[in-house]
Every structure is written in C-alpha cells, then in structure tokens.
Amino acid sequence: MPKKVVRVEHDRDERESEPTWTPSPAAKQQATRYRIIALALWVVAIAGEAVAIFWVLRQPSVNLIVLIGAILLIGALSVIGSWLWKRANQADPARRSDSVRFFIQNQLGAIIAAIAFLPLIVMILLNQNMDRTQKTIAGGVAVVVLAIAAAAGVTTNSPSVEGYDAETNQVIQYTGQDLVFWTKEGSVYHLCQQASAVNLESKDNTIYSGTVGDAHAAGMQRLTLQVDQELKQCGFATPTPASS
C-alpha cells in the first residue's frame, strides 16, 4: 500500500510570514532596566498601601494628613512606574499574537493602580475610627488619585512586534534601509536628515539617527504623517503600488 503524501507548504508560509523584528541589545538592556525600576516603585507603592491599611487606619485617631500624604505618595510611585513601564514596552514590545501577555504587559500599570488603591479605598470607607467628613475627604482624594494613576497606566495604542515589523518594512520600502531620524523634543521619526521637520530648532540642536526600533526606544511614537513631503525633500521616489 503506497504511503500517504502530505504537503506542508502552508506551515512553511506561516513561519515565513511571522514578524522578524527584534529589539537591539541596547534597547533590550534599556527595557530591562526600566522594568526593574518600575517594578521596584510598584512594590514600594503597594507596601505603602499596606502601611496605610494596617497602621495608619488602625490608629484610635486617624491622622488625616498622614493618610492623604500616603495616598499621594502611592499615586506618585504608581504613575512614575507606569511611565517607565511604557518606555520599556516601546523599546521591547510584546507580540500581539500572544494575546494574554500582550494585554497584561501593556495594561500592567492600570492593573497595579487598581491593586494599590481599591483595597485602601474600601478600608477607608469601612473604617470605624474616622467620621463621615474624614472618610469623604480621604476617600475622595483616593478615588481621584486612583483615576489619575489608572489613566497613566493604560496604553491605548499598544506597541507590538508586528507593528514594529510593519513600520520597519515601510521605512525600507521608502528609503531602502532601516534608518530614521528624530529629535528629543519630537514624538515622531522622519525619513532623512534633510527633512524640514527634523531640522526645526531644538534644545540640544541635535538630530539623532538609528533604526525604527531605536527611534521607539528613544520615545518616538510612529513615523511622521508628512511622508509625501519628506519623500520629496529626501529625494526618494514615491513607491509604486503593487499590482494585484
């Protein structure tokens, strides 16, 4: 009886279509450093929450100023940690195809904010050593700070390996290489050193260059929207759309 023949080209094509972008060693190191600092700040924030719950709120006469100070400190640590975590995700993003990790990695700041504040808010409202006015003031401050910290932790336009791969391919299509330009004051990267937007006056009067990944690691969000203008300024030909 002849053996069955199975064609496996589909699997090969799937592998070939997977994103190939990877962070540079420097970007990976930067992301790791930012994540360690962010996690340390979050640990201190949650420890501050524990102190507020198990010490400040258990005093016979709760010191409202100390309690509000603790709430503000927890909020500041949470926000700074979220900012660093987002910077780390820009340098070393998760794959969108790994949906669980992608969600947690990009929204961890908001999750930590909820952990750091919701139990504290509940304990403030249930506390027997505070009068209604104190609960209203402390609870109101905690809710406002929670909202700020959660907003700081939410990522609405989450970076991904797939997105960076597509951006890199787009830049290569325009310029023939993975090389872009930006300034510290900007939020987007550009196609060449001659682009007018990148030559605007800046504080350090410096134009930085690197790969698309390097630009994201430096805090740039995306490619400029003035692509057509920059293609002309840089002397690059406008890509011809592929025929179907």
Side-chain angles (χ1 to χ4, degrees), residues 125-156:
L125 297 178
L126 296 178
N127 189 271
Q128 301 297 318
N129 299 322
M130 300 171 67
D131 58 35
R132 179 174 297 180
T133 300
Q134 289 177 315
K135 289 182 180 181
T136 300
I137 294 173
V141 171
V143 168
V144 171
V145 176
L146 166 60
I148 294 172
V154 170
T155 303
T156 54

Side-chain angles (χ1 to χ4, degrees), residues 58-190:
R58 291 195 174 185
Q59 299 300 312
S61 179
V62 176
N63 190 318
L64 189 60
I65 295 177
V66 172
L67 179 58
I68 292 177
I71 292 170
L72 295 177
L73 177 60
I74 294 168
L77 293 171
S78 179
V79 169
I80 296 171
S82 292
W83 181 81
L84 290 169
W85 191 263
K86 286 184 177 182
R87 286 297 303 273
N89 289 340
Q90 281 188 289
D92 181 24
R95 289 179 177 267
R96 190 176 293 274
S97 57
D98 188 352
S99 57
V100 174
R101 178 183 175 184
F102 182 77
F103 174 80
I104 293 175
Q105 181 168 312
N106 285 291
Q107 310 305 332
L108 186 58
I111 295 171
I112 293 295
I115 294 172
F117 279 101
L118 289 180
L120 178 57
I121 292 172
V122 171
M123 295 307 295
I124 288 173
L125 297 178
L126 296 178
N127 189 271
Q128 301 297 318
N129 299 322
M130 300 171 67
D131 58 35
R132 179 174 297 180
T133 300
Q134 289 177 315
K135 289 182 180 181
T136 300
I137 294 173
V141 171
V143 168
V144 171
V145 176
L146 166 60
I148 294 172
V154 170
T155 303
T156 54
N157 188 18
S158 303
S160 68
V161 170
E162 292 87 344
Y164 285 10
D165 198 59
E167 288 181 40
T168 300
N169 291 334
Q170 183 182 27
V171 168
I172 293 174
Q173 182 185 21
Y174 289 144
T175 69
Q177 58 183 332
D178 181 12
L179 181 64
V180 294
F181 301 81
W182 66 91
T183 62
K184 281 186 177 180
E185 286 73 26
S187 60
V188 298
Y189 56 85
H190 305 269

